[in-house]
Structure formats: C-alpha cells, structure tokens
Amino acid sequence: MKHFEANFDGLVGPTHNYAGLSVGNVASLNNAKDTSNPKSAAKQGLQKMKALHDMGLVQGVLAPHERPDLDALRRLGFSGSDTSVLEQAAKQAPQVLRAVYSASSMWTANAATVSPSADTADKKVHFTPANLTNKFHRSLEPETSGRILKAMFNNEQHFAHHQHLPDNDHFGDEGAANHTRLCGEYDQAGVELFVYGRHAFDSSKPAPVKYPARHTYEACEAVSRLHQLDESGVVYMQQNPDVIDQGVFHNDVISVGNQNVLFYHEQAFLNTAEKFKEIQSKFAKKSDKEFHFIKVATDQVSVEQAVKTYLFNTQLVDIGNGHMAIIAPMECKENPSVSAYLDNLITQNTPIKQVNYFDVKQSMRNGGGPACLRLRVALNEQELAATNQNVLMSEQLFSTLNTWVDKHYRDELSESDLRDPMLVIETRAALDELTQILNLGSVYPFQR
C-alpha cells in the first residue's frame, strides 16, 4: 500500500491584518498596526500550495476561520446588532476588537496534533485540536478547527477526533508546532517527539523569564494518552528557556524534522545529548535507516538570524530516492549567513539535497513562515481516499480558489477598516461560498 505525508496549508483569511497580538513573536510585534494586503497574502499561500503539489507531494487546503468573532464580543458584554457591537468594541476596547479580527488560523501548524495510524493502538489517524490558551486571539480557534478537521477527515473507520484539552495554561497546547514525527517510512511506526516549554505543576523546573512558555509537559502527556501512543515511540524534550526568551515561541522556529532527519540549532533544547540518545535508541528499534542529527552552530547562524529568517520554520519534504528538500522563505536567501549555510548544507552527506525558496512575506511579517502555514498528516492509500477530496490541491482547485480570492478579498486592510460592518458581510459571503467549494458543510457559527 502506498503512503504519503500530506501537507494541509492554511488559506489566509479575508481579515488578514497586522495587529501585533503575539507577545514573544518578534516579527508580529515589529510590524504591529502596519497596513496588510489580504489578497496578496492569500495568493502567496496558494502559490506555495500549488508548487508543492507540482513537486508531486500530496497538498491540501485548510479553510480560514470566521472573523471577526462576534460571538466572543457578545460574551464580553457588547450587545445589539453586529454594527452596534463593532462600534462599541472599537470605542471601548480597540485592542479586543483587533484580537477578534485576527486571521491567525492561517498558521495550521497550531491547528492540531496529528498521530498517524502506524503509531496508534487502534490503527486510526488521531487528531487533537490545540487549545492555544496562551493568547486570547488564538484561544478562540479550537472549536472551529475541530469542526473543519472533522469535515475534512470524516470517516470513523480511519479517523479519530478528540476534543481540545482543558482551556487552562496548565495544559497549554500549541499543536504540531511543538511536535515532530520521526520514522523510516511514513507507513512504519515511528518516534513522536513532543517539545514543551515548561512543567505546569512543578515550578522548580527550568522556565523562561521574559516571554511565556506556551506549551506544557502535561499537555504533551495528555495528547500522547489520547492518541494511544506506546511509550516506546514517544520522546518528551524541553525547549531551552533561553531561546524562548530570544523570540523562539515555538519549537518549529528552532528545529524541524522529517523521517530520519532532525535539523536543529545547537541552542534549541535542554539536556540535548541525553535526549538525542533516547531518540536514537527508540528510532533504531523502529527502523534500520541511519538517523541524521544536523546541528547548526551559533557561530554559523545565530539565534537572532534564525528567528529573523525562519531558517528552521521551513518544511522538510521527501522528494524521492531517500532525498529531501527544504521549503524556505525568501528571507533565508536574502540573508548572507543563512544562504551560505544552506548552499553548503546540500553538498554534505545528509538526505537534504535541495532548497526551494518561496515568497510568503505577508505571513512572515506577521510572524509565521512556511512551516507555520502547514499541518502534516501521514496517510496511507485508504486513508487518503477517505479524506474529503474537495480539499486536495489540483489545477482546478488552484484556479477556483484564486478566482474566489479575487472576488472576495480586499487589496489592503488597515486598523480603521476593522470597524467597518461591510467587512463582516464580505467575510461571511466569502466563507459561505468557500464551504461549498471545499464541501465542508456548516462549520462556521454564522451558518449554524
């Protein structure tokens, strides 16, 4: 049976804007309140999706969420018509209005944690939406994320969907941005690496002091239990608190893995040598492939450069014959140190033989690179056939979605536009049409 790693990229939503909501995310804060370009952002994302599809990879689309979240504003005491709610929020709590307009669901690495059937006791693909408790604007996402994932993977024979973890920072869960699956082949049992920032129930353990550790050890354990994973295929590893305080808000900003490769910065983790031995030992019992730990030293690329260019917030994809390609943002090519490092990397004795650069500047300026934009789902032939075929990238879908963006998206969006009631009407019309294109059913609050 054939097997695949599918990438499901978030389609940038019509309210894509720069609100500077994410403390700990340097790019997000640096570009706060700039004018955004929703149409350009959506088209940049679609171009990347189409390019990976053309490389022969299985590529899918994850729909954006309904924004603004007027239900959240009403829960916070704003009342009356939609127009009245927007006016009140704009006058009394503009920072809250910016939050409920956030298009952050585009970063689908935070949508969920996914474990493939090769790893789970019941041999189903398991999905747990991330609760994203650390940031208010992102904590609004898990219920809709869960509904969209159920509409995409709607077959109980193959897929198991869980409710997100309790909405409390003790179980702060940031999803696949802190989860990497290592394996020989995608259909073989692998090692699932869960990375966390702190221990919620033990304050004596190391933790950052400047920026928050969004993901807890306890959340990692809970997701592992829900997904019926055996301890022989699980490793828990703590992020280095010092790099969190340097702006590394998720592990996928400082490392990326695929199959038998872990590409990482030397400052990424705590207890690196001990934990790498555990990975090596557990991997060797699952596969006879050689494992490659590819370390980037600080004197090659600093943490600051890694954060600025998102060297590690890249995709590492299989291109056949045991080789891999890095899908990198243009910022990596434009930085002399990072570009030189990557040019040298592909000549070394590792599976990484190619680097492809993409323009995703609209996402990068809001703090998300290529890896933020995608959720990885390992599937076999039967599971792929059971997936909603309307969400899988094709020539036709690429054309249809570009036409849809042209029809519904604004060229520019500024902070003053967020109080425009017409933006609500425009966004709902766009999403209503999108659910028909992608055959999702009624996943949005305004449709229910």
Side-chain angles (χ1 to χ4, degrees), residues 135-153:
K135 297 287 179 283
F136 169 65
H137 67 289
R138 302 226 61 181
S139 72
L140 303 174
E141 296 176 21
E143 289 189 9
T144 299
S145 291
R147 285 196 296 268
I148 292 172
L149 288 168
K150 286 177 181 176
M152 294 168 62
F153 302 98

Side-chain angles (χ1 to χ4, degrees), residues 16 37-45 359 362 405 409-411:
H16 163 64
N37 306 99
K39 184 178 291 186
S40 174
K43 285 180 171 284
Q44 285 177 0
D359 181 3
Q362 285 288 313
V405 169
Y409 280 52
R410 296 189 182 188
D411 290 313

Side-chain angles (χ1 to χ4, degrees), residues 45-219:
L46 285 168
Q47 286 287 352
K48 182 173 85 74
M49 294 184 224
K50 179 63 163 52
L52 267 66
H53 167 265
D54 290 347
M55 288 171 63
L57 301 170
V58 178
Q59 177 67 55
V61 180
L62 257 164
H65 290 199
E66 179 191 352
R67 292 294 180 267
D69 189 335
L70 293 174
D71 287 348
L73 289 180
R74 289 191 167 92
R75 287 179 63 194
L76 295 172
F78 301 106
S79 60
S81 66
D82 291 349
T83 299
S84 177
V85 166
L86 288 177
E87 288 177 352
Q88 293 169 56
K91 291 177 181 176
Q92 299 174 32
Q95 71 280 13
V96 175
L97 182 64
R98 292 196 296 270
V100 301
Y101 257 110
S102 173
S104 55
S105 66
M106 72 170 86
W107 297 309
T108 56
N110 302 117
T113 303
V114 185
S115 294
S117 57
D119 293 352
T120 62
D122 63 1
K123 300 306 175 188
K124 295 181 181 182
V125 184
H126 283 246
F127 299 84
T128 298
N131 60 23
L132 304 173
T133 57
N134 190 259
K135 297 287 179 283
F136 169 65
H137 67 289
R138 302 226 61 181
S139 72
L140 303 174
E141 296 176 21
E143 289 189 9
T144 299
S145 291
R147 285 196 296 268
I148 292 172
L149 288 168
K150 286 177 181 176
M152 294 168 62
F153 302 98
N154 186 17
N155 184 311
E156 292 183 359
Q157 180 182 345
H158 296 292
F159 308 119
H161 294 273
H162 304 283
Q163 184 181 3
H164 62 277
L165 299 184
D167 296 301
N168 183 279
D169 259 1
H170 281 70
F171 292 96
D173 176 15
E174 298 286 308
N178 289 325
H179 175 263
T180 301
R181 182 173 184 262
L182 307 167
C183 61
E185 302 292 343
Y186 293 124
D187 65 335
Q188 297 174 349
V191 177
E192 299 200 19
L193 175 60
F194 290 84
V195 179
Y196 61 94
R198 68 184 179 96
H199 290 78
F201 288 92
D202 188 349
S203 59
S204 70
K205 296 289 180 68
V209 294
K210 181 180 179 182
Y211 291 137
R214 304 184 187 186
H215 203 127
T216 68
Y217 172 73
E218 292 81 358

Side-chain angles (χ1 to χ4, degrees), residues 192-399:
E192 299 200 19
L193 175 60
F194 290 84
V195 179
Y196 61 94
R198 68 184 179 96
H199 290 78
F201 288 92
D202 188 349
S203 59
S204 70
K205 296 289 180 68
V209 294
K210 181 180 179 182
Y211 291 137
R214 304 184 187 186
H215 203 127
T216 68
Y217 172 73
E218 292 81 358
C220 295
E221 284 190 312
V223 171
S224 178
R225 286 191 293 268
L226 287 169
H227 290 195
Q228 302 179 22
L229 303 179
D230 189 273
E231 63 179 15
S232 65
V234 174
V235 174
Y236 303 107
M237 196 162 184
Q238 186 168 2
Q239 232 185 317
N240 180 356
D242 291 340
V243 297
I244 294 177
D245 282 339
Q246 293 178 65
V248 180
F249 52 98
H250 290 136
N251 180 58
D252 68 1
V253 178
I254 204 70
S255 80
V256 60
N258 179 51
Q259 291 189 329
N260 61 328
V261 171
L262 184 63
F263 178 46
Y264 70 102
H265 194 278
E266 69 172 338
Q267 294 187 49
F269 306 109
L270 284 185
N271 305 318
T272 304
E274 174 191 340
K275 285 297 178 177
F276 279 10
K277 284 182 182 178
E278 183 181 353
I279 291 171
Q280 182 71 67
S281 172
K282 289 183 174 179
F283 183 88
K285 294 173 183 175
K286 308 283 185 182
S287 173
D288 56 6
K289 276 190 175 182
E290 178 186 1
F291 195 89
H292 297 264
F293 293 100
I294 304 175
K295 180 176 76 172
V296 180
T298 302
D299 60 6
Q300 293 174 298
V301 177
S302 68
V303 172
E304 182 182 7
Q305 288 173 318
V307 172
K308 186 175 182 180
T309 63
Y310 274 9
L311 168 61
F312 298 98
N313 197 248
T314 49
Q315 293 174 246
L316 200 52
V317 299
D318 180 19
I319 54 174
N321 300 316
H323 294 165
M324 299 181 196
I326 289 178
I327 307 300
M330 288 299 296
E331 284 77 357
C332 287
K333 189 175 185 179
E334 294 163 357
N335 182 286
S337 297
V338 173
S339 179
Y341 175 83
L342 289 172
D343 287 345
N344 178 260
L345 173 62
I346 59 177
T347 69
Q348 302 302 309
N349 186 29
T350 81
I352 301 174
K353 298 301 180 188
Q354 190 174 311
V355 181
N356 297 341
Y357 296 100
F358 289 89
D359 181 3
V360 288
K361 280 186 168 57
Q362 285 288 313
S363 176
M364 288 285 288
R365 294 186 70 220
N366 227 356
C372 286
L373 287 163
R374 63 90 174 96
L375 181 68
R376 296 188 281 185
V377 185
L379 301 164
N380 63 36
E381 262 182 308
Q382 292 180 343
E383 292 158 353
L384 182 59
T387 300
N388 178 349
Q389 300 297 295
N390 293 64
V391 304
L392 299 178
M393 183 52 66
S394 63
E395 295 281 351
Q396 180 60 54
L397 184 59
F398 179 69
S399 174

